[in-house]
Amino acid sequence: MAATTEQALTPVPQIVARRVEPERTGWTSWVTTTDHKRIGIMYLVLTFVFFILGGTEALLMRLQLSQANNTLLDPKTYNELFTMHGTTMIFLFVVPIMAGFGNYFVPLMIGARDMAYPKLNALSFWLLVAGGLVFYGSIFFNPPECGWTCYPPLSSKAYLPNGGVDAWIFLIHLTGLSSLVGAVNFYTTIANMRAPGMGWGRLPLFVWSILTYAILLIVALPVIAAAVTMLLTDRHFGTHFFDASNGGSPLLWQHLFWFFGHPEVYIMVLPGFGIISEVLPVFARKPIFGYKAIAAATVLIGFLGFLVWAHHMFSTPSPTFVLVFFMLGSFLIAIPTGVKIFNWVATLWRGTIEFKTALLFCVGFIGTFLIGGITGVFLAVFPVDWQLTDTYYVVAHLHYVLMGGAVFGVFAGIYYWFPKITGRLLSEGLGKLSFWLMLVGFHVTFLIQHSLGLDGMPRRIYEYADVGHLELYNLISTVGSFILALGVLVTAVNVIRSAKNGPIAGPDPWKANTLEWFTTSPPPVNNFDVVPYVRSVEPMKDIRRQVERQMAPSEAPPAPVAESAVRA
């Protein structure tokens, strides 16, 4: 009995649950986050800031070129602006903003709770920040002047001994490492964390494009990393990889750079293709035409992108059979791109079209990118390229492909997914104004540059003589650039204004097709309470049909309640 009493009086250790660390709030919660959605938002905001910087640099260059023999900028400043504009737009805007969309939406679209490696995901963003700081920090001593391609021997220490080229090299290393880490994370997430029932044949087309984007980055980035390392050792450690006077070859740099640089074009454009493939069927109110063909074309473009790099080098001393090979390869890669365009047009054909801003940017994308593709076919004919290389015709082609392609796709994505990110709708009136300003401004800026190139105006020059119509054409192009900038500014105002004051969107304002619209807007930290089983390439349509069947005997409640019932 005593033993029993003693046992009864023995104190029992109490386990009290306490947080090891209080939950972070405010700006520190953003700096330390590993949530893929917050990281995606930080990517989008940071890269848009770089877009504004790069656009400002472009406007300054256009002001210099608006008049013949202009003295607004000296040649050194012009070269610095040219280098920083091209580098910013490619390495600090287009490539990482696609990673921003991918970070936010890939886990949601495949029904995952987060990326496969959340901490690695945060590292990829902060490496991008470091690259941007290193590069733009160079403006306080000597910005690079070697152009965004940094061809030797111009980029050698003999011609540019200051640290600007070194800052450019470190930017390539840091942003390249950021993209490589992110690409591994994308591939692992897509391969291993898909929702039940989501086989490869049911993967959203945007996810297909991000998967191909990731594979291209994994293959191409080590090549440019090796190239810039060789350039760094040439500049500071006595090697002669690119020094023709000591057994090296400047052409080696071009081969290495463009082996990375041409797949880089598709790294920038393919996610834009993916955005278009998601937006068009939603606002055409019909399924995407040729899902399997578009998915196969995406992968095929990625593969062929590695076989055509030397069409950037047609003016270099190369054997004729090499020129013919790369010419035919350049023709061949137009086929899967054409397949996509025909399928997009067929998706719109006889659809119940809703002319929302996102759809307008998609249609603008198709027409603009088509012009860029056609001019690219002309440049792929190497005798034609011999006449047009290093003229403004090439500048026009490049911007029709990248600005008209990738950037219009980015703006379509902003207007399509903004309600999911913020829970609020953007103004359609301001959105359509932005679209028309951007479309008109873009074509006024760059269409006439084809004529500038055909008239023989070289690119990468800071002044020119008043010969023929060169001054008039350049003035028109400059006016167009400011119209384009005004269109971008309208969207920036729209985003800032609507983030707090826009109409409430609800979970699925567009009646869309993919799983990111199954959850609330904005999504919770864990994305989904219950991940639905995927039965087709349009899982949200399946869910809505299931709700309608379940509610058929009685009066159907509002859509959000119905979706909640399905999740429960």
Side-chain angles (χ1 to χ4, degrees), residues 223-568:
V223 178
I224 191 65
V228 297
T229 302
M230 293 157 73
L231 180 60
L232 185 67
T233 59
D234 272 12
R235 287 175 56 83
H236 296 289
F237 299 103
T239 58
H240 304 285
F241 293 109
F242 308 122
D243 183 0
S245 64
N246 285 280
S249 172
L251 285 181
L252 175 60
W253 169 267
Q254 293 195 35
H255 279 291
L256 292 173
F257 184 88
W258 289 116
F259 185 82
F260 154 81
H262 195 79
E264 177 82 343
V265 172
Y266 297 106
I267 288 167
M268 292 185 278
V269 169
L270 282 176
F273 287 178
I275 294 171
I276 302 305
S277 299
E278 296 297 339
V279 175
L280 283 179
V282 171
F283 295 111
R285 296 299 167 202
K286 56 184 288 194
I288 188 76
F289 186 90
Y291 165 87
K292 292 182 180 178
I294 293 178
T298 300
V299 177
L300 185 58
I301 288 171
F303 171 74
L304 293 175
F306 285 103
L307 302 180
V308 294
W309 79 89
H311 73 207
H312 295 272
M313 301 169 57
F314 279 159
S315 59
T316 62
S318 302
T320 302
F321 75 88
V322 173
L323 301 179
V324 171
F325 173 83
F326 285 104
M327 179 180 72
L328 295 177
S330 302
F331 292 163
L332 186 62
I333 203 169
I335 296 173
T337 307
V339 167
K340 284 176 172 284
I341 291 173
F342 279 115
N343 284 0
W344 291 331
V345 172
T347 301
L348 292 171
W349 182 255
R350 294 187 176 179
T352 307
I353 296 175
E354 295 184 22
F355 286 99
K356 300 293 186 180
T357 304
L359 181 70
L360 293 178
F361 274 105
C362 290
V363 175
F365 169 100
I366 294 171
T368 306
F369 187 81
L370 181 61
I371 295 173
I374 291 170
T375 58
V377 172
F378 292 156
L379 290 171
V381 182
F382 61 87
V384 175
D385 186 85
W386 288 343
Q387 302 300 315
L388 296 176
T389 189
D390 283 335
T391 70
Y392 260 77
Y393 191 96
V394 178
V395 176
H397 162 70
L398 174 68
H399 285 85
Y400 265 86
V401 170
L402 295 185
M403 178 72 188
V407 177
F408 273 52
V410 164
F411 275 72
I414 290 171
Y415 280 89
Y416 178 62
W417 278 316
F418 185 85
K420 180 53 59 178
I421 296 173
T422 65
R424 295 181 180 271
L425 293 167
L426 287 166
S427 165
E428 282 293 314
L430 287 177
K432 290 174 181 176
L433 174 63
S434 174
F435 165 75
W436 287 112
L437 286 171
M438 288 183 65
L439 185 71
V440 172
F442 175 83
H443 287 288
V444 172
T445 303
F446 295 107
L447 189 62
I448 203 163
Q449 289 184 6
H450 295 96
S451 297
L452 277 169
L454 291 170
D455 280 356
M457 181 170 173
R459 58 177 174 160
R460 300 172 180 165
I461 59 169
Y462 84 104
E463 67 175 1
Y464 56 93
D466 186 8
V467 177
H469 299 293
L470 295 187
E471 186 174 64
L472 174 62
Y473 291 171
N474 274 292
L475 180 60
I476 292 171
S477 183
T478 299
V479 171
S481 69
F482 279 86
I483 298 172
L484 173 59
L486 182 60
V488 174
L489 182 61
V490 170
T491 285
V493 170
N494 198 359
V495 167
I496 295 170
R497 173 179 171 273
S498 300
K500 289 187 177 180
N501 301 316
I504 302 297
D508 186 11
W510 309 131
K511 300 300 178 187
N513 300 328
T514 44
L515 280 182
E516 74 270 28
W517 303 102
F518 181 65
T519 187
T520 58
S521 300
V525 174
N526 65 332
N527 291 350
F528 303 96
D529 294 332
V530 174
V531 179
Y533 188 88
V534 175
R535 293 177 171 82
S536 73
V537 297
E538 298 177 323
M540 282 302 295
K541 281 188 177 179
D542 297 335
I543 291 168
R544 285 193 289 270
R545 290 192 195 101
Q546 182 179 352
V547 170
E548 289 170 1
R549 284 196 298 269
Q550 291 176 350
M551 299 300 171
S554 60
E555 184 180 354
V561 177
E563 291 184 2
S564 300
V566 173
R567 288 198 293 273

